[in-house]
Amino acid sequence: MIRFEQVSVTYDDAAAPALQGVDLTVPEGELCLLVGPSGVGKSTLLGTVSGLVPHFTGGTLHGRVTVAGRDTRAHRPRELADVVGTVGQDPLAHFVTDTVEDELAYGMESLGLAPDVMRRRVEETLDLLGLATLRDRPIATLSGGQQQRVAIGSVLTTHPEVLVLDEPTSALDPGAAEEVLAVLQRLVHDLGTTVLLAEHRLERVVQYADQVILLPAPGAAPVVGDPAEIMAV
Ligand code: ADP
Ligand code: ADP
């Protein structure tokens, strides 16, 4: 579960806060879609979950964000790796190794897991994401949808309770986008992972969502509902 309590974020030299007084709960084991026009604060809200805000992107955070009971501000993003996994829009920006298998293993390195646990988790994740036949492939030779699945896999090996994705399909064609969204839906249903996904194109993702959070305008209170209710707004 993710809880936002009176969350406001102001960036230096900005006239108005990027987020103001946000109170929200993202239930455990649901795929929650965060939608709203560009510049409304979606990335900022995701950043408060992963700890990027305020530790890396700057900004002043008021209020409290907790993930599985942990206050994200009290930890560096790396210390939250076993709680929150983060995936951005460009999978290539995410990668630090050359092959699929190395990339899946890399995410666990800071956790101090035993080698046999790490090996088991790599196998489990290759199977879960349908990547087993690609394990030795250089990531650069994969399709966009495959690369995005590897990026998701590399954070899943830490067994995060929450997966946060910022426009993960924006660089993908519709077929590859469906491939990625279907994988996310499976994680929610089979593993009980909580997924928070920001997207400005509602139509592309709404059918996969359990709950939708709409940020209608900068500084405005979020509107929360099931997909049908939000489509009617
Ligand atoms: P969205 O993801 O919905 O497009 P953002 O969270 O990226 O919205 O941006 C919300 C507002 O905060 C915008 O006005 C943007 O220019 C500003 N902003 C975002 N990140 C920063 C930053 N690191 N420094 C200063 N201003 C920022
Ligand atoms: P270990 O924690 O030693 O790696 P396993 O790999 O057997 O042990 O996984 C422990 C449990 O975690 C299993 O019940 C498995 O279903 C579950 N699990 C597998 N993948 C994930 C994941 N990505 N997030 C959360 N739990 C997961």
Side-chain angles (χ1 to χ4, degrees), residues 87-89 148 165-172 180 184 197-199:
V87 173
Q89 32 179 280
Q148 199 55 297
L165 304 105
D166 198 351
E167 311 231 354
T169 69
S170 65
L172 304 180
V180 168
L184 294 175
L197 184 152
E199 174 62 61

Side-chain angles (χ1 to χ4, degrees), residues 113 117-118 120-121 124-125 128 155-161 187 190-191 193:
L113 297 170
V117 173
M118 296 212 274
R120 192 167 62 239
R121 288 192 182 188
E124 150 200 297
T125 306
L128 184 69
V155 298
L156 276 185
T157 51
T158 64
H159 287 188
E161 303 195 25
L187 297 180
D190 295 358
L191 297 174
T193 308

Side-chain angles (χ1 to χ4, degrees), residues 78-98:
R78 206 154 45 91
E79 297 168 341
L80 291 171
D82 60 332
V83 184
V84 184
T86 306
V87 173
Q89 32 179 280
D90 178 8
L92 288 175
H94 181 102
F95 298 131
V96 282
T97 69
D98 291 330

Side-chain angles (χ1 to χ4, degrees), residues 130-227:
L131 295 168
T133 60
L134 303 174
R135 62 190 306 152
D136 297 320
R137 284 275 293 275
I139 294 169
T141 67
L142 303 180
S143 72
Q146 290 168 336
Q147 288 179 349
Q148 199 55 297
R149 277 189 283 148
V150 176
I152 292 168
S154 72
V155 298
L156 276 185
T157 51
T158 64
H159 287 188
E161 303 195 25
V162 169
L163 194 58
V164 164
L165 304 105
D166 198 351
E167 311 231 354
T169 69
S170 65
L172 304 180
D173 62 53
E178 274 175 41
E179 179 188 309
V180 168
L181 290 161
V183 158
L184 294 175
Q185 208 170 30
R186 202 156 71 233
L187 297 180
V188 170
H189 294 142
D190 295 358
L191 297 174
T193 308
T194 305
V195 173
L196 179 59
L197 184 152
E199 174 62 61
H200 70 279
R201 281 169 303 185
L202 180 66
E203 337 71 61
R204 184 173 257 198
V205 278
V206 73
Q207 60 171 311
Y208 296 89
D210 298 305
Q211 178 183 272
V212 183
I213 298 169
L214 170 68
L215 291 174
V223 180
V224 182
D226 68 30

